[in-house]
Amino acid sequence: MLHPLPTLRRTAFLCLALLPFDTAVADDLFYAPPPASQDSEPFSGQAELGFTKLSGNSNSETLLGKTSLSWHLKPWTHTFRVEAKHVSSSGETTTDKYLVGQRERYDLSDDHYAFGLLRWEKERFSGYNHQVTSIVGEGITILDGPEHNLSLEAGPGYRFDDITAGDHENYLLGYGAMDYRWQLSDTSKFEQQFSAEATRENVISRSYTALTVAINASLALKLSHEIENNTNPPDESDAKTDTTTAASILYSF
């Protein structure tokens, strides 16, 4: 069984620091990813940074950083992702989350692909010391037009939970996801994505909604809202549902 090293936490910040902070990320470790286009570069990267600070009657800080690197070697697409989120209120930490993941995509035809992913995540106050998830499956592209794109995917998986109370649990899971993208104009795009991972004990679902407006070929502004729900978290968890609303500066290279 995988037991990620504590250095993954430092690696997350290091990877974020090595790339421009005013940037965007492909959220395709949870959702059905789009295929590489015919003119895609062999190597590409995206990153995202969002930061808010309130002072006065309310004192709080929120930092959200994501980075992804992709290698397009048709029919393969390899994607590595790092994410960090930190929220504090009146000097006390209320959210502290880190994620490291790898995803593989293999195109079977123009509209079918196989995929596999491995993900490690650690979230303070979630009731877990960390979780390791591995999923394989097949996806299909339903819509592939200049304005509307829709992909669906599903498959079996396995999850290891290291629970804060000291227990360890192993689960088989069923996974399903959808990814809808609407090109509103030459400079704006809407995204709606959803995924669910079901075990005998709980269902973890994630919804991601975003509106991106391009500033130029590399920079963009992004508004996003993400919801994560665990139907049966450990007793040590603070809540079943986490939400993140962010305004970010994006950069693609």
Side-chain angles (χ1 to χ4, degrees):
M1 170 45 46
L2 294 172
H3 292 280
L5 298 174
T7 53
L8 282 172
R9 175 171 172 166
R10 295 191 293 271
T11 302
F13 280 118
L14 177 60
C15 290
L16 290 167
L18 289 176
L19 294 173
F21 260 150
D22 34 4
T23 51
V25 68
D27 297 274
D28 54 13
L29 285 175
F30 297 122
Y31 315 109
S37 62
Q38 293 297 327
D39 56 353
S40 294
E41 296 292 334
F43 175 83
S44 64
Q46 294 180 308
E48 173 179 346
L49 178 71
F51 178 75
T52 61
K53 180 179 176 64
L54 300 177
S55 60
N57 292 328
S58 176
N59 297 285
S60 65
E61 293 184 353
T62 301
L63 174 64
L64 173 67
K66 302 178 182 180
T67 297
S68 73
L69 303 174
S70 295
W71 293 263
H72 307 288
L73 304 170
K74 279 188 170 293
W76 289 94
T77 300
H78 313 286
T79 302
F80 175 74
R81 179 182 175 185
V82 175
E83 177 180 329
K85 178 167 61 176
H86 180 84
V87 181
S88 63
S89 179
S90 301
E92 294 187 5
T93 298
T94 58
T95 300
D96 205 19
K97 183 175 182 178
Y98 306 92
L99 179 149
V100 179
Q102 175 72 28
R103 176 160 187 146
E104 303 294 331
R105 172 183 173 128
Y106 183 84
D107 293 328
L108 300 172
S109 65
D110 290 341
D111 57 3
H112 284 80
Y113 61 90
F115 72 91
L117 70 86
L118 179 65
R119 182 180 72 236
W120 171 85
E121 55 191 322
K122 178 180 179 68
E123 182 177 3
R124 192 174 176 184
F125 312 118
S126 68
Y128 302 100
N129 288 322
H130 65 261
Q131 295 175 285
V132 178
T133 305
S134 178
I135 300 172
V136 296
E138 184 176 352
I140 181 172
T141 301
I142 305 297
L143 298 176
D144 186 16
E147 294 185 3
H148 301 280
N149 292 268
L150 174 63
S151 295
L152 304 174
E153 67 181 26
Y158 169 83
R159 192 178 78 226
F160 169 78
D161 293 347
D162 183 358
I163 300 173
T164 305
D167 297 329
H168 299 85
E169 298 291 346
N170 298 274
Y171 298 106
L172 295 177
L173 63 86
Y175 165 84
M178 63 81 68
D179 179 1
Y180 172 69
R181 300 172 189 239
W182 180 11
Q183 193 69 38
L184 298 170
S185 68
D186 291 341
T187 59
S188 61
K189 179 178 65 175
F190 172 80
E191 301 171 63
Q192 178 60 62
Q193 303 165 337
F194 177 81
S195 73
E197 300 170 9
T199 72
R200 68 179 188 275
E201 192 68 25
N202 59 11
V203 177
I204 296 178
S205 60
R206 299 174 175 91
S207 174
Y208 182 81
T209 307
L211 177 65
T212 304
V213 179
I215 300 173
N216 55 36
S218 299
L219 291 174
L221 296 175
K222 185 175 186 180
L223 299 176
S224 63
H225 183 68
E226 186 167 4
I227 304 171
E228 180 175 338
N229 176 264
N230 185 337
T231 58
N232 186 26
D235 294 336
E236 295 76 16
S237 173
D238 285 356
K240 291 184 176 181
T241 302
D242 289 331
T243 62
T244 302
T245 301
S248 308
I249 300 295
L250 314 177
Y251 172 73
S252 300
F253 61 92

